[in-house]
Amino acid sequence: DAGVIQSPRHEVTEMGQEVTLRCKPISGHDYLFWYRQTMMRGLELLIYFNNNVPIDDSGMPEDRFSAKMPNASFSTLKIQPSEPRDSAVYFCASSRGTSGKQFFGPGTRLTVL
Amino acid sequence: SQKIEQNSEALNIQEGKTATLTCNYTNYSPAYLQWYRQDPGRGPVFLLLIRENEKEKRKERLKVTFDTTLKQSLFHITASQPADSATYLCALTYSSASKIIFGSGTRLSIRP
């Protein structure tokens, strides 16, 4: 199994640009999570999906952030427009059922100049 | 709101000793408490999960305890090795959903 796949691994962009992060969960997993990690705030849950349906997006910082999961094998997290304070590592994770055990991807390191 | 506290200071342990990391939480007890390991530049990796009706869980050199009275979990690494050096994250999951809350992590360094 390839594990959770994220792309790109690194993204450098300028303030105001649109950024799209991509995630492919582990096949057979029905939960998908998007996290953001910074030194100051640690690992924060942004949004999670169950069977492609968004369940809780209360962690999404503001309207500039949006996430979609068009099918069981693909999800995107979009930031439009991006700001320097969005610079962080963004992780995608997936799990099977409500076991709680999550498998994380390698993360996307986003730098907004 | 629920808060999770882990050792804020980095922990430095001599190789071969037992490392003990602490995770404290407020308010109500979670359905599951988990421990993850994170190496620099990588995503967290699941280590152990313990349920609220379990007192202790072991896996090789790892042991986790869960005390719902103290609202605390302890994570032990026995016979520690330099390869155990990493940041360890505590996480709580509640029964209503798979939403998970992570602690800020404790950085562990094992010196030879």
Short mmCIF file of all heavy atoms in Angstrom, two decimals, chain A residues 9 31 33 35 37 43 45 48 56 58 91 95 97-102 104-106, chain B residues 32 34 36 38 41-46 49 51 89 93 97-100 102-104:
data_model
loop_
_atom_site.label_atom_id
_atom_site.label_comp_id
_atom_site.label_asym_id
_atom_site.label_seq_id
_atom_site.Cartn_x
_atom_site.Cartn_y
_atom_site.Cartn_z
N ARG A 9 4.79 18.52 -2.53
CA ARG A 9 5.45 18.40 -1.23
C ARG A 9 5.86 19.77 -0.71
O ARG A 9 5.90 20.00 0.50
CB ARG A 9 6.68 17.51 -1.34
CG ARG A 9 6.37 16.05 -1.62
CD ARG A 9 5.60 15.39 -0.46
NE ARG A 9 6.23 15.64 0.83
CZ ARG A 9 7.23 14.93 1.31
NH1 ARG A 9 7.73 13.93 0.62
NH2 ARG A 9 7.74 15.21 2.51
N TYR A 31 -12.70 7.82 6.09
CA TYR A 31 -12.56 9.14 6.69
C TYR A 31 -11.31 9.82 6.13
O TYR A 31 -10.26 9.18 5.98
CB TYR A 31 -12.42 9.05 8.22
CG TYR A 31 -13.72 8.80 8.95
CD1 TYR A 31 -14.22 7.51 9.10
CD2 TYR A 31 -14.44 9.85 9.50
CE1 TYR A 31 -15.40 7.28 9.77
CE2 TYR A 31 -15.64 9.63 10.17
CZ TYR A 31 -16.11 8.34 10.30
OH TYR A 31 -17.29 8.11 10.96
N PHE A 33 -9.03 13.57 6.61
CA PHE A 33 -8.82 14.73 7.47
C PHE A 33 -7.78 15.65 6.84
O PHE A 33 -6.80 15.19 6.27
CB PHE A 33 -8.28 14.29 8.85
CG PHE A 33 -9.13 13.25 9.53
CD1 PHE A 33 -9.02 11.91 9.21
CD2 PHE A 33 -10.02 13.61 10.53
CE1 PHE A 33 -9.79 10.94 9.84
CE2 PHE A 33 -10.79 12.65 11.18
CZ PHE A 33 -10.68 11.32 10.83
N TYR A 35 -5.22 18.74 8.13
CA TYR A 35 -4.62 19.40 9.29
C TYR A 35 -3.65 20.46 8.82
O TYR A 35 -3.09 20.39 7.73
CB TYR A 35 -3.83 18.40 10.15
CG TYR A 35 -4.62 17.35 10.85
CD1 TYR A 35 -4.91 16.14 10.24
CD2 TYR A 35 -5.06 17.55 12.16
CE1 TYR A 35 -5.63 15.16 10.90
CE2 TYR A 35 -5.77 16.57 12.83
CZ TYR A 35 -6.05 15.38 12.19
OH TYR A 35 -6.76 14.40 12.86
N GLN A 37 -0.15 22.43 10.53
CA GLN A 37 0.81 22.40 11.65
C GLN A 37 1.75 23.59 11.57
O GLN A 37 2.39 23.82 10.54
CB GLN A 37 1.60 21.09 11.66
CG GLN A 37 2.46 20.92 12.92
CD GLN A 37 3.12 19.55 13.00
OE1 GLN A 37 3.61 19.01 12.01
NE2 GLN A 37 3.12 18.97 14.19
N LEU A 43 -0.64 21.08 15.80
CA LEU A 43 -1.39 20.38 14.76
C LEU A 43 -2.87 20.68 14.96
O LEU A 43 -3.46 20.31 15.97
CB LEU A 43 -1.12 18.88 14.88
CG LEU A 43 -1.52 17.97 13.73
CD1 LEU A 43 -0.78 18.35 12.46
CD2 LEU A 43 -1.22 16.52 14.09
N LEU A 45 -6.83 20.49 13.42
CA LEU A 45 -7.75 19.89 12.46
C LEU A 45 -8.53 20.99 11.75
O LEU A 45 -9.14 21.84 12.40
CB LEU A 45 -8.72 18.95 13.19
CG LEU A 45 -9.80 18.30 12.33
CD1 LEU A 45 -9.19 17.36 11.31
CD2 LEU A 45 -10.80 17.55 13.22
N TYR A 48 -12.93 17.51 8.25
CA TYR A 48 -12.85 16.10 7.92
C TYR A 48 -14.10 15.64 7.19
O TYR A 48 -15.18 16.23 7.33
CB TYR A 48 -12.52 15.23 9.14
CG TYR A 48 -13.62 14.99 10.14
CD1 TYR A 48 -14.43 13.86 10.06
CD2 TYR A 48 -13.81 15.86 11.21
CE1 TYR A 48 -15.40 13.61 11.00
CE2 TYR A 48 -14.78 15.62 12.16
CZ TYR A 48 -15.57 14.50 12.06
OH TYR A 48 -16.54 14.26 13.00
N ASP A 56 -17.33 18.10 9.57
CA ASP A 56 -17.03 19.19 10.50
C ASP A 56 -15.96 20.08 9.88
O ASP A 56 -14.83 19.64 9.68
CB ASP A 56 -16.54 18.62 11.83
CG ASP A 56 -16.37 19.68 12.91
OD1 ASP A 56 -16.24 20.88 12.57
OD2 ASP A 56 -16.36 19.32 14.10
N SER A 58 -15.41 23.20 11.23
CA SER A 58 -15.28 24.28 12.21
C SER A 58 -13.84 24.76 12.40
O SER A 58 -13.60 25.85 12.90
CB SER A 58 -15.84 23.85 13.56
OG SER A 58 -15.17 22.72 14.05
N PHE A 91 -1.19 18.72 6.42
CA PHE A 91 -1.22 17.26 6.36
C PHE A 91 -2.62 16.78 6.01
O PHE A 91 -3.62 17.34 6.44
CB PHE A 91 -0.85 16.65 7.72
CG PHE A 91 0.61 16.78 8.09
CD1 PHE A 91 1.02 17.72 9.02
CD2 PHE A 91 1.56 15.96 7.49
CE1 PHE A 91 2.35 17.84 9.37
CE2 PHE A 91 2.89 16.07 7.83
CZ PHE A 91 3.30 17.02 8.77
N SER A 95 -8.51 7.37 7.67
CA SER A 95 -8.71 6.27 8.62
C SER A 95 -9.89 5.43 8.15
O SER A 95 -10.71 5.86 7.34
CB SER A 95 -8.95 6.80 10.03
OG SER A 95 -10.20 7.44 10.13
N GLY A 97 -13.25 3.64 9.40
CA GLY A 97 -14.24 3.63 10.45
C GLY A 97 -13.90 4.62 11.55
O GLY A 97 -13.15 5.57 11.36
N THR A 98 -14.41 4.33 12.74
CA THR A 98 -14.19 5.25 13.85
C THR A 98 -13.15 4.70 14.82
O THR A 98 -13.19 4.98 16.01
CB THR A 98 -15.52 5.49 14.60
OG1 THR A 98 -16.05 4.23 15.01
CG2 THR A 98 -16.51 6.20 13.71
N SER A 99 -12.22 3.92 14.29
CA SER A 99 -11.18 3.33 15.16
C SER A 99 -10.29 4.38 15.78
O SER A 99 -9.65 4.15 16.79
CB SER A 99 -10.33 2.35 14.36
OG SER A 99 -9.57 3.06 13.39
N GLY A 100 -10.24 5.56 15.17
CA GLY A 100 -9.39 6.62 15.69
C GLY A 100 -7.98 6.61 15.14
O GLY A 100 -7.32 7.63 15.13
N LYS A 101 -7.50 5.45 14.70
CA LYS A 101 -6.13 5.35 14.20
C LYS A 101 -6.04 6.00 12.84
O LYS A 101 -6.70 5.57 11.89
CB LYS A 101 -5.76 3.87 14.12
CG LYS A 101 -4.39 3.58 13.56
CD LYS A 101 -4.18 2.06 13.55
CE LYS A 101 -2.87 1.69 12.89
NZ LYS A 101 -2.69 0.22 12.88
N GLN A 102 -5.21 7.02 12.73
CA GLN A 102 -5.11 7.76 11.48
C GLN A 102 -3.75 7.55 10.83
O GLN A 102 -2.73 7.43 11.52
CB GLN A 102 -5.34 9.25 11.73
CG GLN A 102 -6.73 9.54 12.25
CD GLN A 102 -7.05 11.01 12.29
OE1 GLN A 102 -6.33 11.84 11.76
NE2 GLN A 102 -8.18 11.35 12.89
N PHE A 104 -1.16 9.37 8.28
CA PHE A 104 -0.86 10.69 7.77
C PHE A 104 -0.02 10.60 6.49
O PHE A 104 0.82 9.72 6.33
CB PHE A 104 -0.08 11.50 8.80
CG PHE A 104 -0.94 12.07 9.89
CD1 PHE A 104 -1.40 11.26 10.92
CD2 PHE A 104 -1.28 13.41 9.90
CE1 PHE A 104 -2.20 11.78 11.93
CE2 PHE A 104 -2.08 13.94 10.91
CZ PHE A 104 -2.53 13.12 11.92
N GLY A 105 -0.24 11.59 5.62
CA GLY A 105 0.62 11.76 4.48
C GLY A 105 1.89 12.49 4.87
O GLY A 105 2.04 12.90 6.03
N PRO A 106 2.80 12.69 3.91
CA PRO A 106 4.07 13.35 4.21
C PRO A 106 3.95 14.86 4.40
O PRO A 106 4.88 15.49 4.88
CB PRO A 106 4.92 13.03 2.98
CG PRO A 106 3.92 12.88 1.88
CD PRO A 106 2.71 12.27 2.50
N TYR B 32 -11.13 7.33 23.18
CA TYR B 32 -9.81 6.78 22.89
C TYR B 32 -8.75 7.82 23.18
O TYR B 32 -8.97 9.01 23.00
CB TYR B 32 -9.63 6.40 21.42
CG TYR B 32 -10.77 5.70 20.76
CD1 TYR B 32 -11.52 6.35 19.81
CD2 TYR B 32 -11.08 4.39 21.06
CE1 TYR B 32 -12.57 5.73 19.17
CE2 TYR B 32 -12.13 3.75 20.43
CZ TYR B 32 -12.87 4.42 19.49
OH TYR B 32 -13.90 3.79 18.86
N GLN B 34 -4.68 8.36 22.11
CA GLN B 34 -3.68 7.79 21.20
C GLN B 34 -2.34 8.51 21.36
O GLN B 34 -2.29 9.66 21.78
CB GLN B 34 -4.13 7.97 19.75
CG GLN B 34 -5.49 7.39 19.45
CD GLN B 34 -5.93 7.75 18.05
OE1 GLN B 34 -5.26 7.44 17.08
NE2 GLN B 34 -7.08 8.40 17.96
N TYR B 36 1.18 9.29 19.02
CA TYR B 36 1.80 9.31 17.69
C TYR B 36 3.25 9.76 17.84
O TYR B 36 3.58 10.53 18.73
CB TYR B 36 1.08 10.29 16.76
CG TYR B 36 -0.28 9.83 16.29
CD1 TYR B 36 -1.38 9.89 17.13
CD2 TYR B 36 -0.46 9.36 14.99
CE1 TYR B 36 -2.64 9.48 16.70
CE2 TYR B 36 -1.71 8.95 14.54
CZ TYR B 36 -2.78 9.02 15.41
OH TYR B 36 -4.02 8.61 14.98
N GLN B 38 6.33 11.73 15.68
CA GLN B 38 6.59 12.56 14.51
C GLN B 38 8.07 12.87 14.42
O GLN B 38 8.65 13.44 15.35
CB GLN B 38 5.77 13.85 14.53
CG GLN B 38 5.90 14.65 13.25
CD GLN B 38 4.98 15.85 13.19
OE1 GLN B 38 4.52 16.36 14.20
NE2 GLN B 38 4.68 16.31 11.98
N GLY B 41 10.11 16.81 9.43
CA GLY B 41 9.82 16.75 8.01
C GLY B 41 8.87 15.63 7.59
O GLY B 41 8.68 15.39 6.39
N ARG B 42 8.28 14.96 8.56
CA ARG B 42 7.37 13.84 8.25
C ARG B 42 6.04 14.01 8.97
O ARG B 42 5.91 14.79 9.91
CB ARG B 42 8.01 12.52 8.66
CG ARG B 42 9.24 12.16 7.84
CD ARG B 42 9.87 10.88 8.34
NE ARG B 42 11.02 10.49 7.55
CZ ARG B 42 10.95 9.68 6.50
NH1 ARG B 42 9.79 9.17 6.14
NH2 ARG B 42 12.04 9.37 5.83
N GLY B 43 5.06 13.24 8.53
CA GLY B 43 3.77 13.25 9.20
C GLY B 43 3.80 12.37 10.44
O GLY B 43 4.65 11.50 10.57
N PRO B 44 2.87 12.59 11.36
CA PRO B 44 2.80 11.75 12.55
C PRO B 44 2.52 10.29 12.17
O PRO B 44 1.82 10.02 11.20
CB PRO B 44 1.62 12.35 13.33
CG PRO B 44 1.50 13.76 12.84
CD PRO B 44 1.90 13.69 11.39
N VAL B 45 3.07 9.39 12.99
CA VAL B 45 2.86 7.96 12.78
C VAL B 45 2.22 7.38 14.03
O VAL B 45 2.71 7.59 15.15
CB VAL B 45 4.21 7.24 12.50
CG1 VAL B 45 4.00 5.73 12.43
CG2 VAL B 45 4.82 7.76 11.21
N PHE B 46 1.13 6.65 13.83
CA PHE B 46 0.40 6.06 14.95
C PHE B 46 1.25 5.02 15.68
O PHE B 46 1.93 4.19 15.05
CB PHE B 46 -0.87 5.39 14.42
CG PHE B 46 -1.61 4.59 15.45
CD1 PHE B 46 -2.46 5.20 16.35
CD2 PHE B 46 -1.44 3.21 15.53
CE1 PHE B 46 -3.13 4.46 17.30
CE2 PHE B 46 -2.11 2.46 16.48
CZ PHE B 46 -2.95 3.10 17.37
N LEU B 49 -3.08 2.96 20.81
CA LEU B 49 -4.39 3.49 21.16
C LEU B 49 -4.87 2.78 22.41
O LEU B 49 -4.73 1.56 22.52
CB LEU B 49 -5.37 3.26 20.00
CG LEU B 49 -6.81 3.72 20.16
CD1 LEU B 49 -7.40 4.06 18.79
CD2 LEU B 49 -7.68 2.67 20.85
N ARG B 51 -8.30 2.60 25.12
CA ARG B 51 -9.68 3.00 25.32
C ARG B 51 -9.93 3.40 26.77
O ARG B 51 -9.18 3.02 27.67
CB ARG B 51 -10.61 1.87 24.91
CG ARG B 51 -10.58 1.59 23.42
CD ARG B 51 -11.44 0.42 23.00
NE ARG B 51 -11.56 0.32 21.56
CZ ARG B 51 -10.63 -0.15 20.75
NH1 ARG B 51 -9.50 -0.58 21.25
NH2 ARG B 51 -10.83 -0.18 19.45
N LEU B 89 3.28 12.89 20.15
CA LEU B 89 2.01 13.62 20.25
C LEU B 89 0.95 12.74 20.90
O LEU B 89 0.79 11.58 20.55
CB LEU B 89 1.52 14.01 18.85
CG LEU B 89 2.45 14.90 18.02
CD1 LEU B 89 2.01 14.89 16.56
CD2 LEU B 89 2.43 16.30 18.54
N THR B 93 -9.75 11.20 21.06
CA THR B 93 -10.88 11.00 20.14
C THR B 93 -12.12 10.76 20.98
O THR B 93 -12.09 9.99 21.93
CB THR B 93 -10.64 9.80 19.22
OG1 THR B 93 -9.41 9.94 18.55
CG2 THR B 93 -11.75 9.68 18.19
N ALA B 97 -17.78 11.06 17.18
CA ALA B 97 -17.31 11.15 15.79
C ALA B 97 -15.83 10.80 15.78
O ALA B 97 -15.25 10.51 16.81
CB ALA B 97 -17.53 12.54 15.23
N SER B 98 -15.24 10.85 14.64
CA SER B 98 -13.82 10.57 14.57
C SER B 98 -12.98 11.82 14.74
O SER B 98 -11.80 11.80 14.49
CB SER B 98 -13.47 9.91 13.23
OG SER B 98 -13.79 8.56 13.25
N LYS B 99 -13.58 12.91 15.15
CA LYS B 99 -12.80 14.13 15.35
C LYS B 99 -11.74 13.87 16.40
O LYS B 99 -12.01 13.27 17.44
CB LYS B 99 -13.70 15.27 15.79
CG LYS B 99 -12.99 16.60 15.93
CD LYS B 99 -13.98 17.72 16.11
CE LYS B 99 -13.26 19.06 16.20
NZ LYS B 99 -14.22 20.18 16.21
N ILE B 100 -10.55 14.32 16.15
CA ILE B 100 -9.42 14.05 17.02
C ILE B 100 -8.76 15.37 17.39
O ILE B 100 -8.66 16.27 16.56
CB ILE B 100 -8.43 13.07 16.33
CG1 ILE B 100 -7.31 12.64 17.27
CG2 ILE B 100 -7.86 13.66 15.06
CD1 ILE B 100 -6.48 11.49 16.72
N PHE B 102 -5.26 16.99 18.98
CA PHE B 102 -3.87 16.70 19.28
C PHE B 102 -3.30 17.65 20.32
O PHE B 102 -3.64 18.84 20.36
CB PHE B 102 -3.01 16.81 18.02
CG PHE B 102 -3.07 15.61 17.13
CD1 PHE B 102 -4.08 15.48 16.18
CD2 PHE B 102 -2.13 14.60 17.24
CE1 PHE B 102 -4.15 14.36 15.37
CE2 PHE B 102 -2.19 13.48 16.44
CZ PHE B 102 -3.20 13.36 15.50
N GLY B 103 -2.40 17.12 21.15
CA GLY B 103 -1.60 17.95 22.02
C GLY B 103 -0.46 18.57 21.22
O GLY B 103 -0.27 18.25 20.05
N SER B 104 0.27 19.45 21.86
CA SER B 104 1.35 20.16 21.16
C SER B 104 2.61 19.32 21.00
O SER B 104 3.51 19.69 20.24
CB SER B 104 1.69 21.46 21.90
OG SER B 104 2.02 21.15 23.24
#
